Amino acid sequence: MIKTADIVVLPFQAANEAFLHSLLVGLWGLSASDKVVFRIKKRSIDARSRQVRVNLRIEGYINEEAPESIITPPEYKNVANARPVMIIGAGPAGIFAALRLIELGLKPVIIERGKNVKDRRRDLAAINREQTVNPESNYCFGEGGAGTYSDGKLYTRSGKRGSIQKVLENFVFFGADENILAEAHPHIGTNKLPKIITAMRDAIIAHGGEVHFNTKLVGIEKQGDKVKKIKLEQNGQPFTTDVEEVILATGHSARDIFELLHKEGIAIEAKPFALGMRIEHPQALIDTIQYHTDDRGEYLPPAAYSWVEQVNNRGVYSFCMCPGGIIAPCATNAGEVVTNGWSPSKRNNPFANSGIVVEVQLADVKAFEKYGPLAAVKFQQSVEQLACKLGGGTQVVPAQRMVDFVNKKVSANLPETSYQPGIISTDLEEVFPPFIYDSIRGAFKQYSKKMPGYFTNDAVLHAPESRTSSPVRIPRDSEKLHHPQLTNLYPCAEGAGYAGGIVS
C-alpha cells in the first residue's frame, strides 16, 4: 500500500528520519508490526514567521518494497545511420534537443563554437587571473553553455511547456543528486555540472550522434524556403556542409549570430530585456534577515531572497540569486565587462549575490534605432563597453557600496568581494542611463522598508549585470516552431528569446 502525507515540521525534525518515521506511523494509524519505507517527494522552507518551518510531501510504502529507482530512465536508440539534424550550440537547449532526437530515432550533429568542459577551464582561469577574454571560449560559450560555469539553478515556472520532472530526471540519470527531484528550488552547483554535461555528451556519441567543438557557424545558404547549406569554421578552417534540418540554440550572447541572420535577410526583431547590476552581501547577514536568528544552525541551507518593486511604472527585481555564491566575469569580447553569479553545490561561500535589474523596453533604446532589430543589442553592448572603460579597460568592474549608491556618494573604499578580477570605486551614475540608475535607487529605498537590514553599506554593487535574457527574438511559427521564412530552421531557447534559464 502506498500513502502520501503533507506535513510541516521544524528544520531539525525534517532531517531526523526516526522522528519522521514515528510521525508517519501515528498519522497513518499503523501498528508496530507494519513495515514503512518512505521518501521525501517535495521539500520547501517557509521562513515567513519567526519560527522557520519545513514543508514536506512524503510518500510511504507500507508492507511493500519501494521501487529501486525513483526515475524513469530514458530509452536511447542507436541513430548512427538515421536522418541527421544539425544543432547549432551545445548549451542546455542543444544538449537536451540532441538527447530527445535520439529518443525519437534521429541523429543529432552538434556544432559548438567553444571548447569542451575540461578545456574551457583554462580560458575561465585566464579571464579571472589575467583578464584575457577568449571570444570563443568563456563563461558563455562552450560545452554546456552559460549554465555550466555560471550556476546550475533548475527552478522555472514554465510548467506548461513540457515536463519539468523529465528534465530533472534526466539530470539525475546523468549523475545529479536525487535531492533535486524534491527541492522547491533545485540546484546542482557549478562544481558538479561539468561531470554531468560530459556524461550527456558521451551518451550522445555512444548512441550514434556527433559533437564537434571549436566549430563556428559563419554563413547560411538558402534555397527557396529552406536552409540548404551552412558555412562553418573549425579551428579557423572554413568549410561548407549540406543540412536537412537545423535547430538554432546559440544562446543569448551570440551577437554574431544575430548579425549574421540580419545580414542574410532572415527576420529577427528587437525584444525587451532587463539590465542592471549584481549586488553582494555577506551571506551571514542574509541568513540573519531571512531566518530571524544570528545562527541558522546545521539544518538550514544558506538563505535566499527574491523581490520585485515598481518604480515609476517600471519593474525592478532581483534575478538569479546565488546563496553562498561567487560573482563571475561573463564578457564574451575584449573591451566589455559583464557580471553574473553562481554557487557551488554546498553554497558555502561567505557571500550572497543577486542580479538587481530593470525592465528595458524598446522605447528606451530609440537612440540605437538605426540598427533596426539589433537596437537593443547595441544598447546592451554600449553599457558593457562604458563600464569596461570606467574600470580601466580590463575585467575590473565599477563598484559602489549600496548606501553610497542611493546617496549619490562615491565610496571611499570597498569591502571584500568574491569577484576575482577586482573592483574599482566608481559613481555608477556614470555607467547607467538615468532610467536604469533612478529606478534601482528608488527600488532600494522602497525595499529597504520591507527587508530591514538589507539596505547596508556592507553590500557592494558590481556593474553591469546585462545578460539576463536575449535582446533579440527570432520569430517562429506558433504551431510548427520553424522560422516563418525557413521551414527547416528551428530557433529555440534563450538565444531566440523564448526561454530564460536551464529548464525553461
Side-chain angles (χ1 to χ4, degrees):
M1 180 169 52
I2 302 175
K3 283 183 172 285
T4 60
D6 292 323
I7 61 175
V8 181
V9 295
L10 298 174
F12 75 93
Q13 293 171 330
N16 187 325
E17 288 194 11
F19 171 82
L20 293 178
H21 183 277
S22 175
L23 182 65
L24 294 171
V25 167
L27 184 65
W28 289 329
L30 305 178
S31 68
S33 62
D34 287 319
K35 178 185 175 183
V36 181
V37 178
F38 67 88
R39 287 175 173 156
I40 296 174
K41 301 292 289 184
K42 293 294 178 184
R43 176 172 38 229
S44 62
I45 294 171
D46 185 350
R48 289 173 293 180
S49 65
R50 297 199 68 82
Q51 178 60 68
V52 179
R53 305 279 182 171
V54 181
N55 301 313
L56 298 176
R57 170 165 290 178
I58 296 179
E59 183 176 79
Y61 299 84
I62 302 166
N63 298 322
E64 66 177 78
E65 296 298 322
E68 289 186 11
S69 176
I70 62 174
I71 67 171
T72 302
E75 296 182 5
Y76 295 132
K77 305 172 183 179
N78 189 316
V79 296
N81 298 315
R83 179 162 64 92
V85 177
M86 191 72 67
I87 301 172
I88 311 299
I95 291 173
F96 273 77
L99 294 172
R100 182 62 179 143
L101 286 170
I102 292 172
E103 288 182 298
L104 296 172
L106 298 170
K107 178 179 179 176
V109 180
I110 297 180
I111 301 300
E112 169 55 48
R113 70 191 299 164
K115 301 177 183 179
N116 63 47
V117 288
K118 181 180 178 181
D119 293 341
R120 279 179 79 182
R121 293 180 188 274
R122 285 189 285 271
D123 297 309
L124 304 188
I127 297 173
N128 282 299
R129 297 172 188 169
E130 303 163 19
Q131 305 192 33
T132 302
V133 180
N134 181 338
E136 309 302 338
S137 177
N138 43 64
Y139 275 94
C140 291
F141 299 153
E143 186 177 21
T148 305
Y149 287 108
S150 60
D151 218 14
K153 286 184 282 293
L154 304 177
Y155 175 65
T156 181
R157 294 188 178 93
S158 303
K160 294 181 180 179
R161 298 183 181 184
S163 173
I164 295 172
Q165 186 71 12
K166 180 175 173 60
V167 173
L168 298 179
E169 288 188 3
N170 263 332
F171 275 111
V172 172
F173 179 76
F174 286 106
D177 194 297
E178 292 180 354
N179 285 332
I180 67 171
L181 300 174
E183 298 297 341
H185 291 80
H187 171 262
I188 292 177
T190 298
N191 54 316
K192 291 190 174 182
L193 268 169
K195 185 177 179 181
I196 294 167
I197 297 300
T198 299
M200 290 179 173
R201 178 226 307 163
D202 290 344
I204 291 167
I205 294 172
H207 290 88
E210 299 178 18
V211 183
H212 302 275
F213 297 111
N214 303 303
T215 305
K216 182 178 179 180
L217 175 67
V218 295
I220 295 174
E221 291 185 14
K222 300 170 288 182
Q223 187 175 84
D225 65 351
K226 292 187 180 296
V227 176
K228 186 67 175 176
K229 299 176 183 288
I230 58 173
K231 299 176 183 178
L232 303 169
E233 283 186 2
Q234 187 172 59
N235 296 313
Q237 298 299 312
F239 67 100
T240 301
T241 185
D242 294 329
V243 293
E244 293 186 42
E245 312 283 348
V246 182
I247 295 175
L248 190 63
T250 50
H252 60 41
S253 291
R255 291 168 173 165
D256 59 319
I257 299 299
F258 301 146
E259 292 172 355
L260 170 63
L261 295 175
H262 187 46
K263 175 185 174 185
E264 296 290 346
I266 300 171
I268 63 174
E269 55 196 42
K271 168 187 156 297
F273 68 112
L275 186 146
M277 57 188 69
R278 188 151 283 266
I279 189 169
E280 186 171 72
H281 287 82
Q283 180 63 53
L285 174 62
I286 300 301
D287 290 343
T288 298
I289 294 170
Q290 295 295 77
Y291 293 143
H292 322 291
T293 177
D294 290 334
D295 182 9
R296 63 179 168 84
E298 60 181 299
Y299 301 110
L300 286 171
Y305 64 84
S306 175
W307 58 264
V308 179
E309 295 290 331
Q310 287 289 321
V311 180
N312 297 325
N313 297 314
R314 191 186 294 271
V316 183
Y317 56 94
S318 61
F319 169 84
C320 183
M321 197 273 151
C322 301
I326 293 167
I327 298 179
C330 290
T332 49
N333 276 294
E336 63 189 30
V337 294
V338 180
T339 63
N340 198 353
W342 62 273
S343 299
S345 56
K346 293 183 179 179
R347 292 179 161 171
N348 55 356
N349 193 274
F351 300 105
N353 71 73
S354 178
I356 304 296
V357 296
V358 180
E359 293 176 343
V360 179
Q361 300 299 328
L362 298 186
D364 299 318
V365 299
K366 282 189 174 179
F368 298 86
E369 62 185 359
K370 67 179 180 181
Y371 297 104
L374 297 172
V377 174
K378 297 299 183 181
F379 167 76
Q380 179 191 55
Q381 194 172 35
S382 71
V383 174
E384 296 170 1
Q385 291 173 345
L386 177 57
C388 183
K389 181 179 178 181
L390 292 170
T394 63
Q395 288 302 295
V396 172
V397 300
Q400 195 168 6
R401 290 181 183 262
M402 186 184 196
V403 177
D404 291 343
F405 170 79
V406 170
N407 292 334
K408 294 193 171 187
K409 174 186 175 184
V410 176
S411 300
N413 53 60
L414 295 170
E416 186 180 352
T417 174
S418 66
Y419 183 77
Q420 290 188 33
I423 56 181
I424 184 170
S425 181
T426 308
D427 181 355
L428 295 187
E429 191 171 12
E430 297 182 46
V431 177
F432 298 108
F435 80 92
I436 297 280
Y437 178 79
D438 293 337
S439 296
I440 295 179
R441 285 183 69 241
F444 282 154
K445 289 178 181 179
Q446 291 175 192
Y447 188 66
S448 64
K449 302 171 185 176
K450 301 176 183 178
M451 189 175 175
Y454 183 81
F455 185 62
T456 172
N457 249 0
D458 288 337
V460 62
L461 311 173
H462 303 64
E465 164 85 56
S466 50
R467 307 286 178 93
T468 58
S469 63
S470 177
V472 165
R473 177 169 282 114
I474 306 173
R476 62 188 187 190
D477 183 273
S478 60
E479 292 184 6
K480 297 183 179 180
L481 304 182
H482 58 64
H483 193 279
Q485 295 170 257
L486 299 166
T487 58
N488 64 341
L489 176 66
Y490 298 87
C492 73
E494 289 200 24
Y498 293 100
I502 292 173
V503 174
S504 61

